[in-house]
Amino acid sequence: MRHLDIATAKPYSVIGLGTWQFGSREWGYGTDYADGEAARIVARARELGITVFDTAEVYGFGRSERILGKALKDSGGTDDVVVASKVFPVMPTAAIVQQRGVASAQRLGVRQIDLYQVHQPNPVVGDATTMRGMQALRDVGVIDEVGVSNYSLKRWQRAEGARGGQRILSNQVQFSLVSRDPMAEMLPWAQRTGHIVMAYSPLAQGLLSGRYGADHRPSGGVRATNAMFLPENMAAAAPLLDLLRDVASAHDATPAQIALAWLVHFPNVVAIPGASSVAQVERNAAAADIVLTGSEHGALTAAAEAFHPTTGLSALPGLVRARR
């Protein structure tokens, strides 16, 4: 497993584990997954060198934090891993941020949350009061690093300014072959300044796995409401998916592994895919060892840029039809 070359108390693996699905009904994995497979996934991830484990208070309304915390405790504790969680900023005043941080640490069963992130930018409450709460948590040792999520680059920078220039280590954003906005300005800035871009939904909720097509679409859970899986978008994605399969064949890998390798080819990126099984977390971890050539990486980027999915309001009629 490779790790980022950034000064942090613990090493950040370039492939982490996202745990939204732990205890969350919207993924449809069931209680057997939450009660058993989730713990096996965490234990195996640790054996494979994954150090970054990401959750949030809103995932399963706290259940994800509890499941992850117990799994980490049972598989060796948290001294050698990065436990990352997020506060959902309904009203992120300093006092509420402090209260929520303590509550998350208690659910996780940890003395200190290694990376505590603001889950979304609040459109009304400014970052100054939020960051005062973060600093108070850090001053008493409840958290180590501060992060944000779904922030624009400018707001990330302003939030750091609100901390008096103290580092806000990371910004967790949607980043994949089909969601490339961070490449324009955010990632170059992070690389210049020693910050981290954490890529959630790095496989576009399975679109880049190669398992689905226009005639074989996901039928339930979160994916059923994702416009990327509309028949017209699946058809438009075919050239990109075909290229992923070709590159995967050259590396004796899977399309999903190549999509992850494309991401972690960039410095200062941590990809945090979820995993529905031990076998899947094993495949995800192995992607860190795949070295794409410059021509392969460039060809994948070009194929992704040629993919123009129907999204937003334009996708609503198709989503309505798909639910009938």
Side-chain angles (χ1 to χ4, degrees), residues 63-125:
R63 288 195 70 209
S64 174
E65 289 179 322
R66 292 188 183 93
I67 292 168
L68 175 61
K70 184 176 187 304
L72 288 171
K73 179 182 178 181
D74 292 347
S75 60
T78 58
D79 288 347
D80 58 345
V81 298
V82 174
V83 180
S85 193
K86 298 182 282 291
V87 57
F88 196 73
V90 176
M91 186 54 67
T93 62
I96 290 175
V97 169
Q98 292 174 63
Q99 177 190 33
R100 303 317 304 159
V102 170
S104 281
Q106 290 174 341
R107 284 190 294 270
L108 286 160
V110 298
R111 183 185 62 81
Q112 183 177 74
I113 300 172
D114 300 295
L115 176 64
Y116 196 45
Q117 305 151 97
V118 185
H119 206 146
Q120 302 275 355
N122 188 288
V124 177
V125 179

Side-chain angles (χ1 to χ4, degrees), residues 166-229:
Q166 293 186 74
R167 180 173 71 176
I168 295 181
L169 177 63
S170 61
N171 191 0
Q172 186 177 139
V173 293
Q174 190 168 4
F175 188 15
S176 71
L177 270 165
V178 296
S179 298
R180 300 177 308 283
D181 287 350
M183 290 173 60
E185 295 181 336
M186 183 179 294
L187 184 56
W189 177 80
Q191 291 166 344
R192 290 195 307 270
T193 58
H195 292 73
I196 299 171
V197 173
M198 294 184 69
Y200 74 78
S201 199
L203 299 176
Q205 294 190 355
L207 174 71
L208 300 172
S209 69
R211 289 184 292 149
Y212 303 111
D215 298 323
H216 175 55
R217 298 168 50 237
S219 58
V222 173
R223 297 182 183 92
T225 59
N226 187 336
M228 284 291 187
F229 293 103

